[in-house]
Amino acid sequence: MLKPNKMSRIHFLNVLEGDCNIIEHDSGRKTVIDVSNAYNDYDTEAEVAVKNSQRRKDMYERTQVPSNKKDYQQKKTPDNPIHYLKKLNINQIFRFIVTHPDMDHLDGIEDLFNEFSIANIWDTDNKKEISDKAGSGGYNMDDWEFYKSIRDGIKKPATRLTYFSGNSNLYYNEDYIEILSPTPQILKQCNQKENWNDSSYVILYTPPKLGGGKWKILFAGDSEDLTWEHIIENYSEKVANVDVLFAPHHGRDSGRNYNFLTVVNPKTTLFGNASSKHLAYNKYNSGLKITNNQAGYVVLNITPESLEIYVKNFEFARDFRHKKNWEGDPPFCKYNDAFFLCQYTAK
């Protein structure tokens, strides 16, 4: 498959228990949203210690699917975003977005900046501090210090930008991205209460659809109730009936309110690797549901005519087709290095 004109592509990576998404815009610009499990080819002493830690090893072993679903064990072979980006022949990143300052969204940030030319970093003016190295949860504290040095203006490896809901500029208008949250008021409350999940950037991506419409792809970070009250009150029409939802907080059940799903009503929901005992799989009642542990990485090809879904794991794609009574094995797409799963067509 050759890349057609006006096609964008999203890569939903399988990165243990964190987040990393890559958008290849039809403008040619590249956006990376969060990073996790990112290592270059040289490991520092701290990185070796993290890789060998029991906490890190435990991440590979936690089952990531509901008990009544098949465990495809893709979590045991996670993606390294640095290697994945190089496979795509990407060497320049236009914008790197830190949705919020939790370590599973910053894991490998220093190596990422060492390996790629990054023009801009989106970050919130959060006040988070980490002082307990033993409580880092199997992550490298050097990554935290690197991030904090950027946030606090000590290091400037890229232009640091702080945007809020309603802000706009030429570049991300051209790339069809809109910030729905946080607002300055939400961030203020998050800083006061040290609730970093609700400080998450929530981003709506709306590439053009045939006939003058727009595809709706919603990146939700780790957003919780405060965020969704704001979004439903102010952007309900924009987030209604989305095509793809990247489930907030990796699909984790955090004792939250799920009423927002009656509006969002996704055709497809993509879940990260929330532990199965915490996975809110059954809260998402509409449409197709895919976890990283089933599919491996997921690739979305988006053109005005269609939105196609591809997955790394042949076995999952084959079983999916059989359940749909589709004949034959899933076709392999060399361009995506993944197997075709299904598609939506513009109407």
Side-chain angles (χ1 to χ4, degrees):
M1 175 181 177
L2 297 176
K3 181 177 179 179
N5 292 331
K6 303 303 289 183
M7 185 177 102
S8 57
R9 196 160 55 147
I10 298 174
H11 307 261
F12 175 53
L13 300 193
N14 170 29
V15 286
L16 284 175
E17 296 180 3
D19 259 6
C20 183
N21 296 298
I22 302 162
I23 306 176
E24 297 180 272
H25 299 278
D26 62 17
S27 65
R29 288 183 284 269
K30 311 296 189 295
T31 295
V32 176
I33 304 175
D34 292 325
V35 69
S36 193
N37 197 50
Y39 291 92
N40 60 16
D41 293 333
Y42 170 75
D43 282 348
T44 65
E45 186 175 325
E47 288 171 333
V48 170
V50 168
K51 286 183 176 182
N52 291 330
S53 70
Q54 189 59 49
R55 289 190 177 192
R56 194 75 171 194
K57 291 175 182 177
D58 289 344
M59 293 181 189
Y60 288 83
E61 300 302 324
R62 288 190 277 258
T63 302
Q64 305 303 310
V65 293
S67 58
N68 63 339
K69 297 290 181 180
K70 184 173 180 179
D71 186 354
Y72 290 88
Q73 299 188 16
Q74 293 297 290
K75 193 172 183 241
K76 293 182 182 296
T77 55
D79 302 315
N80 180 332
I82 289 174
H83 293 167
Y84 194 99
L85 285 159
K86 289 183 176 181
K87 181 184 78 170
L88 298 176
N89 294 315
I90 292 174
N91 52 42
Q92 293 184 326
I93 297 168
F94 182 71
R95 62 176 71 84
F96 173 61
I97 301 174
V98 178
T99 58
H100 66 294
D102 283 350
M103 286 304 299
D104 55 338
H105 297 253
L106 297 168
D107 177 33
I109 185 174
E110 185 168 16
D111 280 359
L112 184 77
F113 272 80
N114 286 338
E115 293 295 317
F116 299 95
S117 172
I118 301 176
N120 305 288
I121 178 170
W122 287 18
D123 186 29
T124 62
D125 282 329
N126 66 83
K127 307 301 181 186
K128 183 173 182 177
E129 297 292 342
I130 296 177
S131 58
D132 180 9
K133 292 189 177 183
S136 61
Y139 297 105
N140 182 6
M141 292 301 295
D142 290 344
D143 283 322
W144 171 256
E145 295 299 332
F146 180 80
Y147 162 73
K148 186 174 181 295
S149 71
I150 297 174
R151 184 195 68 184
D152 297 347
I154 299 168
K155 290 183 179 179
K156 299 181 180 180
T159 300
R160 180 176 176 273
L161 302 165
T162 56
Y163 291 126
F164 291 101
S165 171
N167 289 165
S168 180
N169 72 29
L170 174 64
Y171 288 111
Y172 63 83
N173 288 344
E174 289 180 348
D175 288 338
Y176 317 118
I177 54 181
E178 180 178 1
I179 299 170
L180 304 185
S181 196
T183 65
Q185 294 76 20
I186 288 174
L187 187 61
K188 182 179 179 180
Q189 289 187 54
C190 291
N191 281 328
Q192 290 171 344
K193 297 180 180 179
E194 298 187 352
N195 174 7
W196 311 117
N197 288 340
D198 263 327
S199 72
S200 291
Y201 278 118
V202 176
I203 295 169
L204 181 63
Y205 178 55
T206 54
K209 184 191 288 189
L210 201 67
K214 297 177 181 179
W215 299 104
K216 295 182 181 182
I217 297 98
L218 190 56
F219 298 90
D222 279 6
S223 53
E224 295 183 345
D225 293 350
L226 182 64
T227 297
W228 285 99
E229 288 168 8
H230 157 73
I231 290 174
I232 298 303
E233 181 178 348
N234 294 279
Y235 298 110
S236 59
E237 185 174 341
K238 288 187 176 183
V239 301
N241 304 313
V242 302
D243 296 291
V244 180
L245 170 66
F246 291 78
H249 208 179
H250 325 280
R252 184 184 178 95
D253 189 346
S254 308
R256 60 174 308 144
N257 187 325
Y258 287 93
N259 289 342
F260 72 96
L261 289 172
T262 61
V263 175
V264 175
N265 189 34
K267 288 182 181 176
T268 294
T269 303
L270 300 180
F271 297 87
N273 280 317
S275 179
S276 58
K277 65 181 179 180
H278 300 301
L279 187 65
Y281 195 86
N282 293 326
K283 302 289 187 180
Y284 294 78
N285 294 319
S286 67
L288 174 63
K289 297 181 282 191
I290 306 172
T291 72
N292 276 141
N293 194 49
Q294 294 170 310
Y297 58 72
V298 180
V299 182
L300 308 179
N301 285 3
I302 307 165
T303 68
E305 293 79 20
S306 67
L307 189 158
E308 300 173 341
I309 302 176
Y310 296 79
V311 298
K312 175 187 177 183
N313 183 11
F314 166 80
E315 188 182 3
F316 169 67
R318 180 200 62 199
D319 292 350
F320 179 89
R321 291 181 67 87
H322 288 178
K323 289 177 183 177
K324 297 287 187 181
N325 294 317
W326 296 347
E327 293 185 2
D329 287 336
F332 178 73
C333 174
K334 186 176 180 181
Y335 176 64
N336 291 319
D337 192 20
F339 295 92
F340 177 75
L341 193 71
C342 61
Q343 73 172 2
Y344 302 119
T345 56
K347 295 180 180 179

